[in-house]
Structure formats: structure tokens, C-alpha cells
Amino acid sequence: MRIATRLTDRLRLRHPIISAPMGFAAGGALAGAVSTAGGLGLIGGGYGDSDWLAKEFKRSGNRPVGCGFITWSLARNPGLLDQALDRNPRAIFLSFGDPEPFASSVRAAGVPLICQVQSLDDARRALDVGADVVVAQGAEAGGHGEKRATFTFVPEVVDLVRQRGSDALVCAAGGVADGRGLAAALMLGADGVVMGSRFWASSEALVHPNLHRSALAASGDDTVRTSVMDIARRLDWPSRFTLRVRKNAFTESWHGHEADLLADIGTQSSRYRDAWANGDPATAAVMVGEAAGLIHDIEPAGDILLRTVSEAVAVLQNATSRLLVDDPLTPGH
């Protein structure tokens, strides 16, 4: 059973699902498992660690995986892109900054370019630089993002692509964690989805078990968009992007009190590093989005992907069977 779309055709996939290149979580094992199951698995290039990237590509084996980068961070170490391109990746995924400095290298290598966007201006820029896939990310997403909601943002990007006469594909991201989300994205005009939180909660993800347990106990109401984790980690994120995480004692103490956190950054940064190393969910970031309430188990990524497709097929078939076609000119119908 499969769902064929333009995404599956162009990227040679069996299923229209891409795993998000989540920093610190999406390593080679996760990317490889998603690709083996018929989707596109992406390694998260993170914040510029060449040795880590080499290790995770090795862990992916010979499976056809891609790689994602935080664009403003990649600008500080552009050699990482060459390192990834040398591995003949299935795709390169860029987000959270201007893709233009890197787009020509990706295209020259004959590798599909995926650009994740958070606004229509971002989408226009992605099309200008020749993105093959534009990922419309809604604020429901875990990890970094901005303000738009997936349900309205995706069709606006779809319309923009059509208005521009582009053949770029569109994927939906943010809040997609099961077959209902995949089916909804396809109905909005997307060619596929990028799933983050659901694969973050997989057995292959590089996530401490304590943080996994914390995520399973959460609902979407338990998440918040905040900058305090980035401040504690001393990561200089652009101000437009915040991080969606599960609320915990750390966010409750410092969200809304960022200036006080900065004033005590030496102590709090050290405290955060220790909490991250020990998997302490009261302080460390549990990076799940509003889809947290749809996640109930830590499972192999391949099982998650195949069940998502099966659920989507059932949802779409059921929706078709419930249609009642009446004469639109008949009064009362």
C-alpha cells in the first residue's frame, strides 16, 4: 500500500514522508530507518560539528539519506555543505536563513534542494534560488519556527507556487504526527509532509529516555514557544525564531524574564548543560510540538512511517465514501 504523489515520483520515494533534520536528534540511524521504510530520512547537520556529521553519515550505512542544515549556522562553517555533498545525499534541506549562498552548490551537484520556510517572503526567496521542494512550516512544529499556522500557511504557499508558474513541490510541516495529518496535508495541496516530533519520539532518535518519557506524558497544551532554551545554550538564534518545547520548571522560571536569565547566564548555562547530559526534563528541552498529544509510544521509525501511510489511506478512502453528490441547483441542497 502506498500513496503516490509528485514528491514520491521526483525524489524516488515509496511514501510522501520526510523526516525532519532535527538537531541533536536526527542522526544516521533515524535517517536510515526512514529511508529504508520508503520515505526520505534526513540527518540533522546541527551547529557545525564535522566529526559528528561524518559519524552519522557512516551510521546511516549505504541507505539513501539526505542532510539538513540551519542556514545561518552553516554560513559560519560552509565546508560542512561540501562534506555532505561528497556523500551523494538524496537531498539537502536548508532552513532558518537565506538559502542563496548555498543553493548554487547544491544544484551544481545535481542534488535536490529543499528549503523550509516560515513566511510567504521566505517562500518567494526559496523559489527565487531554485528550490525543488518548499516546506511550509507552521508554528505547531516542535523545535524552531515562527508564527504561521500550518492549516492556512500550506495552501497559501501552494497558491504562490502556482502563481509563479513554478514546478516546485510543496510539503507541509508542523503538527503532522499520524495519517490524519498526512491526509489533511494532501487535501491542502501539499505533495507530502515533513514530520519532526513523531520521529523525535522514535527508538532510533538520539534522545535521552527521560526526555522521551516526558514527551509521552504531554499534550499540545503543555508546549510553549520560547527563547530561554537558546539563551541557556548560548545559541545566537535570530530573534524571529523561537523554540517550541514542553513546558517545564526552567521555562516557567525564565520565560518572560529573559533579561534576568542573561544576567545569570554563567550559572544557568552550566546548569542547563548538566541537565541535558543527564536527561533532566525539568530543565533540559523536550523538543516536541503541539502534536505531543498524538504521540503515545516510542516506536521504530519504520513502523511509524508505515502506520502513518496506512492510516492516511483509510482516512482518504473513508472520506470519499461519505461524499453525497446532489444537484447543486436543487433548492435545499
Side-chain angles (χ1 to χ4, degrees), residues 3 31 38 43 58 67 102 141 161 221 227 238 320:
I3 298 174
I43 295 172
K58 185 175 181 180
C67 188
F102 314 105
V161 171
D221 290 346
S227 62
T320 301

Side-chain angles (χ1 to χ4, degrees), residues 70-72 95-98 116-119 122 137 143-147 225-228 230-231 233 235-244:
I70 298 165
T71 313
W72 60 262
S95 191
F96 307 119
D98 186 3
Q116 182 168 263
V117 303
Q118 292 78 29
S119 72
D122 292 343
Q137 184 202 37
H144 288 93
E146 203 179 10
K147 299 176 181 178
R225 298 211 71 91
T226 184
S227 62
V228 298
D230 289 331
I231 293 172
R233 297 186 297 171
L235 294 175
D236 189 22
W237 270 85
S239 59
R240 64 178 284 206
F241 301 117
T242 53
L243 183 71
R244 186 176 291 282

Side-chain angles (χ1 to χ4, degrees), residues 237-259:
W237 270 85
S239 59
R240 64 178 284 206
F241 301 117
T242 53
L243 183 71
R244 186 176 291 282
V245 295
R246 184 182 180 182
K247 299 174 187 175
N248 61 12
F250 195 83
T251 62
E252 293 298 303
S253 295
W254 297 111
H255 184 65
H257 304 280
E258 289 79 8

